[in-house]
Amino acid sequence: MFELLKTDPHSRARLGRLTTPRGVIDTPVFMPVGTQGSVKALDPRELLEMGTQIILGNTYHLHIRPGLDIINAAGGLHKFINWPHPILTDSGGFQVFSLAKIRKIKPHGVEFRSHLDGSLLFLGPKEAMEIQRALGSDIAMVFDDCPPHTSAPREMRAAVERTIRWAGECREQPRAAGQKVFGIVQGGSDPALREECAKQLVALDFDGYAIGGVSVGEPEPEMMKAVEFTEPFLPAGKARYAMGLGTPAQLVELVARGVDMFDCVLPTRVARNGTAFTTRGTVSIKAGFNKSDFRPIEEGCECFACRHFTRAYLRHLLNVGEILGLRMVSVHNSHMFLKVMADIRAALAAGTFAEFRREFVANYIPSRKILLAREESR
Ligand SMILES: [Zn+2]
């Protein structure tokens, strides 16, 4: 399923290719997030135009609304949302542990109340795999226990033990035709727990491995450590996916630490507040200094928004609440994340990733506000 094409001699970065039932994905890859069955504000044609190879869907949210009956009747998630290309579905573990009101953690799953109407629901390895099978995603994720980064060591250990046990149960469940399943490594920033969890999951032989328990409110150095503590124990011949990360500069740094796949809600989430990502960091398009700035969001950007509209016009649209404004900032931001990954792949192929990384990270000035936005629910 995963082909390792090239490794960077100066870092852990890898150039690869992931084959799924609905298409081949060049890695490192950024996967736009379509939690509710739609990448917020973008349509499939726009996603393809900007180079999207695979999108995310979410088990928890799609299970609650519209529900499996509707998606089944539509002929699966790809048909329902009219995206015939690869889809990865998150298992719902993260949402159950972060969004829902948990009633009881049981041996085979979690009893919780819907964050919408309070109805009592149950999700465990069996249910999560059953839902993902019905959705028909190309890559399904195991159901894991994703504890907060502030959990006591004892709770962190219990979560890891549960994650391993549940991964084994997920492994036994039937899958959709051609569906691949990834394990999720937990363990917070405890190196011993990360190692143990990774080794146990690798023994179960999944199609790929995710590093979970990141993007849960932890500071950046802790997040990087969680990845560094996990990556050495993952097999080189399988894809590695860091869940829910990050800013463009963080993506470059995580690629350098051996990660192949990313998803993040930031590009579309901050677009809705009028914030745009550029190679120099973020910029508020709504800010007064853009009032009569007739340049695009970023000079040289080839996205539809930058080819057609000025900052001054987009600022006006955002200020008067016109939907086109937030749509165009979403187009630019998503394009920017995908372009960074395309540039990373080109640099890896050309053997110039070390220079690319140095230059990119030096130019990119992170904003605290953006780092905080990542930590809101996803
Ligand atoms: Zn642009």
Side-chain angles (χ1 to χ4, degrees), residues 2-30:
F2 182 74
E3 221 181 313
L4 186 58
L5 301 176
K6 200 171 177 183
T7 48
D8 176 41
H10 309 288
S11 71
R12 316 273 307 162
R14 302 131 53 89
L15 185 69
R17 191 184 290 142
L18 194 62
T19 304
T20 73
R22 288 178 183 79
V24 170
I25 298 157
D26 297 315
T27 64
V29 62
F30 178 74

Side-chain angles (χ1 to χ4, degrees), residues 346-358:
L348 284 168
T352 56
F353 179 70
E355 291 93 306
F356 173 86
R357 175 189 183 187
R358 201 178 317 119

